[in-house]
Amino acid sequence: MSKAVKTWKGTTAVQSNRHLSRAGTFWQEDYYDTLIRDEAHLQRAVRYVEANPVKARLVKTPQDWRWSSARRRDDYGRLNLER
């Protein structure tokens, strides 16, 4: 898995830096895998990931991020894949 992540991060870093007209470190040094223990833990993990673009100040709300699953949630937080 670590080789696959290294390859993926290297390729996307080069492409992203080129697209953004920048150079240097793009990704953090390492990644951390976590075993999801139960449904509640999964929901917390999903919300954490959905909040990352907001924390990075790329958008104001998770729903504003074009590639986020948050855009596909109904008023009750349920995922709607038809949206």
Side-chain angles (χ1 to χ4, degrees), residues 11 19-20 27 40 52 64:
T11 302
H19 178 73
L20 297 169
W27 296 106
N52 280 336
D64 293 337

Side-chain angles (χ1 to χ4, degrees), residues 4-66:
V5 170
K6 183 177 181 177
T7 300
W8 172 73
K9 287 172 74 173
T11 302
T12 57
V14 169
Q15 292 174 355
S16 297
N17 276 338
R18 187 177 300 132
H19 178 73
L20 297 169
S21 300
R22 55 166 290 201
T25 303
F26 188 82
W27 296 106
Q28 286 183 329
E29 184 65 29
D30 206 352
Y31 74 98
Y32 302 96
D33 56 350
T34 302
L35 178 64
I36 300 295
R37 297 180 299 273
D38 54 29
E39 182 66 25
H41 185 203
L42 175 60
Q43 292 303 318
R44 286 193 306 276
V46 168
R47 297 291 192 261
Y48 172 83
V49 170
E50 289 178 346
N52 280 336
V54 177
K55 290 178 189 174
R57 296 186 176 125
L58 298 171
V59 292
K60 291 186 181 197
T61 70
Q63 294 79 7
D64 293 337
W65 187 244
R66 179 179 177 186

